[in-house]
Amino acid sequence: MRAERGADSCVTLDAGDTIQGTPLAYYYAKIDPITKGSTHPMATAMNAIGYDAAAMGNHEFNYGLDTLDTFRRQLRFPLLCANALDWNTGRSVYPTYIVTTVKLKGQKPIKVGIIGLVTPGVSIWDKANVEGKVKFNGIVEQAKI
C-alpha cells in the first residue's frame, strides 16, 4: 500500500497480544529470552514493516514487566497503553497516544490521534506480574481523561 499510495498516506498499527501465544513467542521469553540479549523476531519484523504504533494487549504482561520493557525498547515505534498507571503515583507508565499526519493525494493533511488501551483484566490475570507495580484504570474512564 505504501508503494501504491505513498508512505505518507498510510498508517500501520497493531492491536497487541504480540509477544505471547505462539511457540516462537514462548521461545524468546523462556528458552532464549530477550531479557538476556536476544532480539524478539516480532520486533524485527514490525520494525522492518515500519509500524507507526502498537497498543498493548493483555498478553504483553504475561511474561512479566522485564520482558515487556525489553520488547518495548527493541521497537522503533511507540507501544501505547494509556491506562497502565504507576501503582504509587498514578502516572502513565507507558506512552499513551500519538498524533500523526496522513497526507492524501489532492486533499489537506489529516491529523490522526491514536491511543492505546488494555483491558483492566490484566490486574487479575497477571496479578503476579503487576501487583504493586502497575494498576489499570477502566478503558472508557481513562479514554475520557
Side-chain angles (χ1 to χ4, degrees):
M1 291 309 298
R2 288 186 187 121
E4 181 183 311
R5 298 184 183 201
D8 289 344
S9 68
C10 297
V11 179
T12 304
L13 305 170
D14 188 84
D17 290 354
T18 305
I19 62 171
Q20 194 278 350
T22 67
L24 182 72
Y26 179 85
Y27 182 87
Y28 283 96
K30 298 294 186 181
I31 308 300
D32 187 10
I34 62 174
T35 55
K36 305 251 190 225
S38 294
T39 300
H40 200 292
M42 287 305 296
T44 301
M46 294 167 90
N47 288 335
I49 290 168
Y51 276 70
D52 295 288
M56 289 184 196
N58 62 291
H59 290 295
E60 264 60 69
F61 296 88
N62 290 164
Y63 293 123
L65 298 178
D66 289 343
T67 298
L68 171 55
D69 290 338
T70 301
F71 177 71
R72 195 170 61 84
R73 285 191 302 273
Q74 292 177 351
L75 301 174
R76 293 193 304 253
F77 55 88
L79 188 56
L80 307 172
C81 195
N83 62 326
L85 308 174
D86 180 271
W87 191 273
N88 296 311
T89 68
R91 292 190 186 118
S92 297
V93 176
Y94 304 105
T96 58
Y97 71 94
I98 64 166
V99 177
T100 190
T101 301
V102 177
K103 298 176 183 171
L104 302 175
K105 192 181 255 185
Q107 297 186 25
K108 291 182 181 179
I110 302 167
K111 296 260 186 204
V112 178
I114 301 159
I115 187 169
L117 297 153
V118 69
T119 174
V122 172
S123 61
I124 297 166
W125 305 320
D126 280 304
K127 183 177 183 176
N129 294 328
V130 300
E131 188 171 45
K133 300 171 188 170
V134 181
K135 57 185 172 182
F136 301 86
N137 276 2
I139 290 172
V140 173
E141 295 80 9
Q142 191 68 30
K144 287 180 180 181
I145 293 177

